[in-house]
Amino acid sequence: MSFSARCCLPVFFALLAAQAAAADPAPVYGPELQGFTYPFPVHRYQFTSQGEALQMAYMDVAPQGPPNGKTALLLHGKNFCAATWEATIKAFSTAGYRVVAPDQIGFCASTKPAHYQYTFQQLASNNAALLKQLGVERAVVIGHSTGGMLATRFALMFPQTVEQLVMVNPIGLEDWKALGVPYRTVDQWYARELKITAASIESYEKATYYNHRWKPEYSRWVDMLAGLNRGSGQQLVAWNSALIYDMIFSQPVIYEFQLLTMPTLLMIGDADTTAIGSDIAPADVKARLGNYKVLGKTVIRQIPQGRLIEFPGLGHAPQMEDPEQFHKTLLGALRD
């Protein structure tokens, strides 16, 4: 390649980036979601882990109704943030709960370290340290999607801290690797994550999360993810996302549900079809994955003090799809 051709490459790539931005009108946010507005004040828990100075963003919302003396810890999913718990925070705060909703390390408004060994044990330990910092000794732990896997690991590691466990459409109700889903390397995940756009996020969530139904209010959460993934920290965001996907795929919790010792609610929108790696699975394998109508009924039999609550026709995020029904049901079940 000639010198003049090499000199033109930066201009060429800049033009490509400009064209991509024009084709994808989503907002652009910083590597820690700078520019995105959270529904409640965001605090920062600063700590050192694996030799890295990290900060964990979280919301700590006091009871808005008569205090009941309880704290709810809300653990978000892979394609979600603490902000997506907005309706749940309001419902629980009104019901008298103190609500703590963190962004996990590697996600959203928290640090994206250049080097981090992601394990559910590490993330659970981070959350335990946060609760200790806040003076919380016992909590109702509510995990959604990947947060359900994290909540399970947290409950297994710190059972004395968990008053009740709630899993909302958790992934990890099946072992995708054991079922025949091909392995993706971290580099392959990274290449995939670099290609994310608002259009691809909306298409995936509409088909997989919402059973081909869409509401205008979901666009805010699409913009949140797309803006984070196309901002100045794109490569660091994509790299952390790749490491996290490898954690999710490689660290199943399904084999340990029978070890849970606390009252546990499994809440399932039964139209959900989420399954990690289903996009590259052989057709016969893909056909068996993500059948939440079956998964919920199968898994609840493994949990000693488990109770299954199903939401017929709802998808991966029932707390967002039908918040009124979901929160009325959940708060009633916790009282019972």
Side-chain angles (χ1 to χ4, degrees), residues 149 171-181 248-255 257 275-276 285 288-290 295 299:
M149 296 182 76
I171 61 172
L173 299 182
E174 55 192 346
D175 183 344
W176 310 288
K177 176 167 60 70
L179 291 172
V181 174
I248 295 167
F249 188 81
S250 304
Q251 300 176 30
V253 296
I254 184 174
Y255 305 111
F257 287 134
I276 299 298
V285 173
R288 303 196 303 269
L289 300 176
L295 290 171
V299 167

Side-chain angles (χ1 to χ4, degrees), residues 31-73:
E32 295 180 6
L33 260 184
Q34 293 93 334
F36 180 83
T37 302
Y38 273 59
F40 299 94
V42 175
H43 309 280
R44 311 282 172 175
Y45 169 50
Q46 297 182 347
F47 64 108
T48 299
S49 175
Q50 300 183 22
E52 296 269 358
L54 306 174
Q55 64 86 16
M56 194 171 175
Y58 67 94
M59 292 175 285
D60 184 2
V61 182
Q64 302 304 303
N68 62 12
K70 297 178 182 292
T71 298
L73 173 65

Side-chain angles (χ1 to χ4, degrees), residues 67-105:
N68 62 12
K70 297 178 182 292
T71 298
L73 173 65
L74 308 183
L75 304 176
H76 63 77
K78 172 67 181 68
N79 293 324
F80 300 82
C81 296
T84 58
W85 284 115
E86 180 176 2
T88 303
I89 294 172
K90 291 177 180 177
F92 270 71
S93 177
T94 300
Y97 286 81
R98 176 186 182 181
V99 183
V100 177
D103 280 334
Q104 301 306 314
I105 294 300

Side-chain angles (χ1 to χ4, degrees), residues 74-248:
L74 308 183
L75 304 176
H76 63 77
K78 172 67 181 68
N79 293 324
F80 300 82
C81 296
T84 58
W85 284 115
E86 180 176 2
T88 303
I89 294 172
K90 291 177 180 177
F92 270 71
S93 177
T94 300
Y97 286 81
R98 176 186 182 181
V99 183
V100 177
D103 280 334
Q104 301 306 314
I105 294 300
F107 291 83
C108 308
S110 291
T111 301
K112 318 291 184 304
H115 305 284
Y116 206 63
Q117 183 178 354
Y118 280 100
T119 65
F120 284 115
Q121 288 90 336
Q122 178 67 73
L123 296 185
S125 297
N126 295 348
N127 284 275
L130 171 63
L131 291 184
K132 184 177 181 180
Q133 173 85 0
L134 297 177
V136 176
E137 296 181 356
R138 298 266 288 170
V140 176
V141 178
I142 304 171
H144 168 241
S145 189
T146 298
M149 296 182 76
L150 175 56
T152 300
R153 182 58 60 204
F154 184 95
L156 292 167
M157 293 176 66
F158 307 103
Q160 71 283 357
T161 304
V162 183
E163 182 176 342
Q164 291 175 283
L165 174 64
V166 181
M167 293 183 285
V168 183
N169 280 76
I171 61 172
L173 299 182
E174 55 192 346
D175 183 344
W176 310 288
K177 176 167 60 70
L179 291 172
V181 174
Y183 178 72
R184 267 191 178 112
T185 66
V186 171
D187 290 322
Q188 289 171 327
W189 278 116
Y190 176 61
R192 176 183 182 268
E193 292 303 282
L194 285 174
K195 299 175 183 177
I196 284 177
T197 65
S200 67
I201 293 170
E202 179 174 330
S203 177
Y204 169 76
E205 292 188 356
K206 184 176 182 180
T208 306
Y209 289 179
Y210 302 113
N211 199 21
H212 298 281
R213 297 183 297 266
W214 191 256
K215 297 179 182 177
E217 54 264 36
Y218 300 155
S219 295
R220 178 187 174 198
W221 311 122
V222 170
D223 290 345
M224 175 188 71
L225 289 180
L228 178 65
N229 280 278
R230 70 198 296 266
S232 60
Q234 181 191 30
Q235 293 183 352
L236 192 58
V237 169
W239 180 247
N240 277 265
S241 183
L243 295 175
I244 290 164
Y245 269 123
D246 187 71
M247 172 188 71
I248 295 167

